[in-house]
Amino acid sequence: MTGPSPIERAIAALQAGRPVRIGGETVLSVETGSRAMLELLDPEGCAPLLLSGPRAAALGLANEREAARPDDPVEVSHCEWLDRDAARALADPARDFDRGLIGPLQAVPVDHPDCARAKLPLDDLPPSQMVAFRDPASGEQHVALVIGAFGGKPPLIRLHSECLTGDVFGSLKCDCGPQLKEALRILGAEGGGILLYLRQEGRGIGLANKLRAYALQDRGLDTVDANRRLGFADDERNYGMAAAMLRALGLDRVRVLTNNPAKIAGLEHEGIEVVERVAHHMPANPHNADYLATKRKKSGHLP
């Protein structure tokens, strides 16, 4: 059995009234935190209040631009009347019908700490930055490599699933390593673009299961049948996190470098408009020719 994820540990800490450090901010639940802890962390009593999207909507903040996305948290700026008791009253829905209206409330943008973004100089590429994202469900960390500038047009992007064997060790059983290198070259030649590096090893089944699938392929199964023999679908990936990363970067229209229609369908299902598909061809080698043929025949990859 694996231990609790970082997200689960943070939730447990907040439920127990302990503070949690998230990026550059310290967060404490006003419902479970003791008065002594609140005074220790906020001696001046001027900290803003962070509400969930649904709670903000219940308080009538949904008409505020900064509180219009139900999945995002909402920060209520501090004001003179918003003391600790008032903050507890706002956070506790059980008290909604025991008091009159509290307000006025002003929603402000939630600042995203800059510690997750850094310049990353890369060989033969325009100035680049790497931005880290954490999946709120799994705690998994994904990154976006933002290369150069887009000139106001929908940028060319590449969704690349992590492949330790191919990306790092240069395995010839797949085309992942060459795909990654060529995608970076193409994005650089464009003058700019974005590569999303997604922690989806083995098309979503993980490294250990990918190696089990490799062993089955050595016994004669193709990549799709090997996954199914292990109890997995042909492809276990979804692209909701990729779409969320793009929206966080301010993008809702993109061009996609891919031969996999499922990536386009996945982004469009999540509300990202794909205005163009750019083909991404890699030459086969004796070790991956059957693998590439299977992806075209059984997984619908485009030639």
Side-chain angles (χ1 to χ4, degrees):
M1 294 179 62
T2 59
S5 70
I7 299 296
E8 291 170 329
R9 291 199 299 270
I11 291 173
L14 291 172
Q15 290 174 335
R18 300 195 303 272
V20 172
R21 189 75 172 172
I22 302 176
E25 304 291 337
T26 299
V27 179
L28 179 71
S29 169
V30 296
E31 296 172 281
T32 60
S34 67
R35 181 170 292 275
M37 182 62 73
L38 285 166
E39 290 178 351
L40 177 65
L41 295 177
D42 183 28
E44 302 298 325
C46 60
L49 178 66
L50 195 66
L51 299 172
S52 69
R55 181 61 182 153
L59 291 169
L61 286 172
N63 62 332
E64 298 268 357
R65 181 178 65 84
E66 302 300 347
R69 295 175 61 89
D71 294 331
D72 289 349
V74 174
E75 181 179 319
V76 177
S77 60
H78 178 74
C79 57
E80 184 176 349
W81 63 265
L82 187 57
D83 57 18
R84 296 184 180 105
D85 290 333
R88 280 199 172 100
L90 283 176
D92 186 359
R95 301 175 61 182
D96 281 355
F97 299 102
D98 298 333
R99 54 169 172 75
L101 295 175
I102 293 181
L105 304 175
Q106 180 182 359
V108 297
V110 176
D111 291 331
H112 297 283
D114 292 332
C115 60
R117 180 189 291 258
K119 295 179 181 179
L120 190 70
L122 297 171
D123 192 27
D124 292 330
L125 288 178
S128 303
Q129 291 184 333
M130 182 169 280
V131 188
F133 298 86
R134 190 188 301 274
D135 188 326
S138 67
E140 201 76 77
Q141 296 184 49
H142 310 266
V143 297
L145 185 64
V146 182
I147 299 169
F150 319 138
K153 63 181 180 181
L156 182 63
I157 71 164
R158 168 71 183 166
L159 275 56
H160 185 88
S161 295
E162 175 187 41
C163 178
L164 177 69
T165 51
D167 298 344
V168 177
F169 298 116
S171 168
L172 298 177
K173 286 183 70 69
C174 63
D175 57 347
C176 300
Q179 277 188 337
L180 178 59
K181 292 178 182 178
E182 179 64 6
L184 292 175
R185 188 197 67 77
I186 291 172
L187 294 175
E190 281 267 323
I194 297 175
L195 185 135
L196 301 186
Y197 195 84
L198 306 170
R199 306 299 296 275
Q200 299 173 330
E201 181 81 50
R203 299 200 302 274
I205 67 174
L207 178 60
N209 283 319
K210 184 176 82 169
L211 296 181
R212 294 186 179 102
Y214 278 0
L216 291 174
Q217 292 170 37
D218 291 338
R219 302 291 295 272
L221 296 184
D222 64 33
T223 182
V224 169
D225 289 339
N227 272 27
R228 291 174 178 169
R229 181 64 63 92
L230 290 172
F232 297 107
D234 170 13
D235 192 334
E236 292 281 345
R237 294 173 292 184
N238 72 75
Y239 299 101
M241 187 62 194
M245 292 164 70
L246 291 171
R247 283 194 291 270
L249 293 171
L251 300 171
D252 57 12
R253 301 177 73 244
V254 295
R255 300 155 58 225
V256 181
L257 180 65
T258 188
N259 291 336
N260 185 355
K263 291 183 177 181
I264 295 174
L267 288 178
E268 290 182 333
H269 177 73
E270 298 292 338
I272 301 296
E273 181 184 355
V274 178
V275 299
E276 181 186 4
R277 179 189 79 89
V278 178
H280 193 42
H281 296 294
M282 291 292 106
N285 67 61
H287 301 277
N288 69 15
D290 289 342
Y291 163 79
L292 296 178
T294 299
K295 286 205 297 184
R296 291 191 296 270
K297 182 179 179 180
K298 291 189 173 182
S299 300
H301 285 223
L302 300 170

